Amino acid sequence: MEVQDQESVGRWDRLGSRDPSSRADAIENICQEVMRKVETIGPIPPVAPLSLASGSPPGNDLNDILAHVLMLSRRCPFEDVRERCSQLLQNIQDLGIRIPRPLGNGPSRFIPEKEILQISKVDSRTQSIFEDAFAALGRLDNISLVMGFHPQYLESFLRTQHYLLQMDGPLPLHYRHYIGIMAAARHQCSYLVNLHVNDFLQVGGDPKWLNGLFEAPQKLQQLGELNKILAHRPWLLTKEHIEGLLKAEEHSWSLAELIHAVVLLTHYHSLASFTFGCGITPEIHCDGGHTFRPPSLSQYCVCDIANGNGHANHHDDLLGNQDMCGEVEVLMERMKQLQECRDDEEASQEEMATRFEREKTESMLVVTSEDEESAPPRDISRHFEDPSYGYKDFSRRGEQVPTFRAQDYSWEDHGFSLVNRLYPDVGQMLDEKFHMVYNLTYNTMATHKDVDTSMLRRAIWNYIHCMFGIRYDDYDYGEINQLLDRSFKIYIKTIVCSPEKTTKRMYESFWRQFQHSEKVHVNLLLMEARMQAELLYALRAITRYMT
């Protein structure tokens, strides 16, 4: 890296400092540098070329720099930086030069921007979490803003992700980001792919690898099969798959490296579920997040129209308001009745096993989407092999998911200790994150307060594990049909198995009386339950190999 570039990177990095004078110096230097470029280059073209894909320092292209300044003016958690960047953009516009403006309406296509935490109006704890995230990555991304509905969870999530990507560990930094790209690409999640493409380059990754998996080292190519099976049919993973990776001569993985890779793959498969499930939009400074064109009469984003999201409100289209009335009360009454039944009688082990098998079979018949299969775009599919491999073609052939008894291999008794032994501290962080989301409650349901929601949270978690064939002997799977209606099951299965097929209509069609924060909580449950299910299959296969 040239000296000039290093100095430039340093200036952008210092914007994350908690020292106001340090930030002031950094932003002043950036303002001077930008104004020099403006005076040298003159007016910029009306349409921006491809922009940066991450929070990394922008290159020398003025359009990239202005897009980055726009992002800081809207997303930086430090008010002084936001104000100075807004002023800088205004000064440039006053010179007659076109500046970028954001596309879309906030971090999510599904949640109105006014309902998501405003960066300028958060409590001190959330402010501190946002500042830490910005200091670590140079960005406060849209995922974090949407997760900000639940700051306790966000703190645990960011701590774990930071450790996996940036702290000491078995894998080199560029491998970590490349594995993130491979995992996100399995679900055609361009949002996560774009973020990690740029992070990969920033930590010294070879740009050639981005031409496709075939350009990456053989060691990473061999991870492709594990990536594919874990993402779509983890129950097919065997100790032979593990042995193939650990005994590949000069391309072999160590056990510690493999654990690190497995945690990264499962993290990004499940994070793709959250990204699609909450309708996360491109970052402001990324391609698709801003434009240099002036505003048109229509405020619709092209992607919204393409996805049929142009209507202001689908609630009236889908089901009349009459059907919505009492939705919450009905659910609360069912929870009460189930609790009373639990107290009165207990089903036999045989009956419990039958109810699980019935629910597992029914879950396979839930249709995720009426749409025809669409091939992933080339810029995504080049990061993995066998794009036709998925959950859907397996279920259509009538194959059964084998039953995995949690009592024989559980996270608490087996998986946790294996991860902690081979990748210290990560088992502990994952365990805290799983418990955090599973136990997270505000004792509310829509407008009702003092409600015990543990039965509902357990039904959601266990339904996801049921789809993966995982059975808890002490759970009555008959409760699932009482608590989760068809539209909710369709949403859950789509998010967990084929997240790229999620639509705004699906998001709006379940729990229509509930708050957006409650729907985000559902997505956090889906994400973590999916991650734990994948991990259980991978760790069981590794344990079987080791014994």
Side-chain angles (χ1 to χ4, degrees), residues 492-509:
I492 291 174
K493 184 166 180 183
T494 304
I495 299 306
V496 172
C497 301
S498 310
E500 61 278 7
K501 297 183 188 303
T502 312
T503 64
K504 187 176 184 183
R505 190 179 291 265
M506 282 181 189
Y507 175 88
E508 291 182 336
S509 70

Side-chain angles (χ1 to χ4, degrees), residues 14 28 86-87 119 167 190 229 313 410 412 439 508 547:
R14 285 198 296 277
E28 201 49 52
S86 296
Q87 186 185 349
I119 290 173
M167 302 298 284
S190 56
I229 294 172
N313 190 346
S410 69
E412 290 78 10
N439 296 315
E508 291 182 336
T547 53

Side-chain angles (χ1 to χ4, degrees), residues 5 15 41 106 118 234 236 255 295 366 449 496:
D5 286 344
L15 293 178
I41 298 171
Q118 301 301 307
L236 296 180
L255 265 173
V366 173
K449 295 191 166 98
V496 172

Side-chain angles (χ1 to χ4, degrees), residues 9 16 19 29 77 97 115 221 281 308 387 415 439 441 448:
V9 167
D19 173 31
N29 284 331
I97 290 172
E115 296 197 32
Q221 289 184 41
T281 56
N439 296 315
T441 183
H448 297 268

Side-chain angles (χ1 to χ4, degrees), residues 181-182 184-191 193-194 210-213 276 287 373-388 500-501:
I181 293 167
M182 289 172 64
R186 280 275 15 146
H187 286 307
Q188 303 168 38
C189 188
S190 56
Y191 172 87
V193 168
N194 287 340
L210 300 175
N211 293 331
L213 190 56
F276 284 114
D287 186 35
E373 289 287 328
S374 57
R378 168 68 192 143
D379 61 328
I380 299 293
S381 65
R382 65 186 173 197
H383 298 300
F384 64 89
E385 295 166 327
D386 196 2
S388 64
E500 61 278 7
K501 297 183 188 303

Side-chain angles (χ1 to χ4, degrees), residues 279-346:
I280 302 295
T281 56
E283 298 299 327
I284 287 175
H285 55 300
C286 293
D287 186 35
H290 66 275
T291 180
F292 283 82
R293 291 191 180 94
S296 63
L297 291 174
S298 167
Q299 290 304 301
Y300 285 140
C301 168
V302 173
C303 59
D304 276 353
I305 296 168
N307 288 316
N309 297 327
H311 299 295
N313 190 346
H314 282 309
H315 290 173
D316 296 333
D317 306 343
L318 285 161
L319 291 156
N321 287 331
Q322 194 174 7
D323 291 342
M324 281 175 58
C325 291
E327 179 188 39
V328 183
E329 290 76 11
V330 168
L331 190 50
M332 288 172 65
E333 181 59 31
R334 284 183 181 166
M335 287 162 62
K336 183 182 169 190
Q337 289 171 357
L338 284 169
Q339 187 59 54
E340 289 168 356
C341 290
R342 265 187 197 172
D343 297 339
D344 291 345
E345 59 178 275
E346 194 170 312

